[in-house]
Amino acid sequence: MLQRIFAPERFTGWHFLAIMVGWFGIVIGVNLFMAWNATSSWTGLVVKNSYVASQEFNEVTAEKRRQLAMGWKATPAYEAGTLTLDMRDAARAPIADAIITAKLGRPSYEADDHMVQFAETAPGIYEGRTELTAGVWNADVTVTGAGGDVWTRTLRFSVR
């Protein structure tokens, strides 16, 4: 009885074909799934051209140092369709009469990116109307102060 159970079967060309088609089908299927995931999510781009970005590194670094020296700070809060920014200077005084715009988007997905314009509702308090779903968001904020100073920052916040 054991000899019949463990008796060798004939390995034919059809067996080999089934194994090869199955193996390559799995490999191609996994590759297609990974390619679809890669193209339907984050592009991975931080800069469009790394060579050009490297040539501008010193200027960008000097600008970031200038902005850090200003000591401005923005604190985001989101509730019921309103994104609020509390803008303060180095002395914690409100920054009034500024023009503020922000590009909102997910950290790893571009489909939800959109611009928001802010209006001052109180000294140093700016509100922008936008509908955000739950999760993590980035706000690329550009503030132009009353004296013409420009300050940019990327703020990350969560919506519950």
Side-chain angles (χ1 to χ4, degrees):
M1 171 103 176
L2 286 175
Q3 285 179 349
R4 239 175 80 186
I5 293 174
F6 294 110
E9 292 283 328
R10 251 181 67 165
F11 188 77
T12 65
W14 290 109
H15 293 114
F16 182 75
L17 178 65
I19 290 170
M20 294 305 288
V21 167
W23 172 255
F24 282 105
I26 290 171
V27 169
I28 291 169
V30 167
N31 281 334
L32 289 173
F33 174 74
M34 297 298 276
W36 176 80
N37 261 350
T39 58
S40 66
S41 64
W42 186 45
T43 63
L45 287 178
V46 177
V47 293
K48 289 187 187 289
N49 186 328
S50 59
Y51 177 76
V52 171
S54 73
Q55 300 303 304
E56 298 168 350
F57 178 78
N58 290 338
E59 292 83 11
V60 170
T61 302
E63 176 61 19
K64 288 190 184 288
R65 285 186 180 140
R66 182 194 68 76
Q67 290 181 15
L68 280 173
M70 292 168 65
W72 289 9
K73 182 175 174 136
T75 306
Y78 179 79
E79 188 174 326
T82 301
L83 179 60
T84 304
L85 291 178
D86 183 3
M87 294 296 305
R88 303 287 170 171
D89 64 12
R92 302 281 304 140
I95 298 171
D97 301 325
I99 299 169
I100 302 178
T101 59
K103 178 182 173 191
L104 296 178
R106 300 285 190 171
S108 61
Y109 193 63
E110 293 178 338
D112 295 331
D113 290 2
H114 61 283
M115 295 297 293
V116 175
Q117 190 77 26
F118 290 84
E120 189 171 17
T121 58
I125 305 296
Y126 296 84
E127 292 183 351
R129 297 286 304 152
T130 183
E131 291 299 324
L132 303 177
T133 56
V136 179
W137 289 85
N138 280 347
D140 295 329
V141 178
T142 302
V143 180
T144 304
D149 291 327
V150 176
W151 181 82
T152 60
R153 188 74 75 240
T154 298
L155 306 172
R156 184 169 284 185
F157 61 96
S158 294
V159 175
R160 295 176 194 252

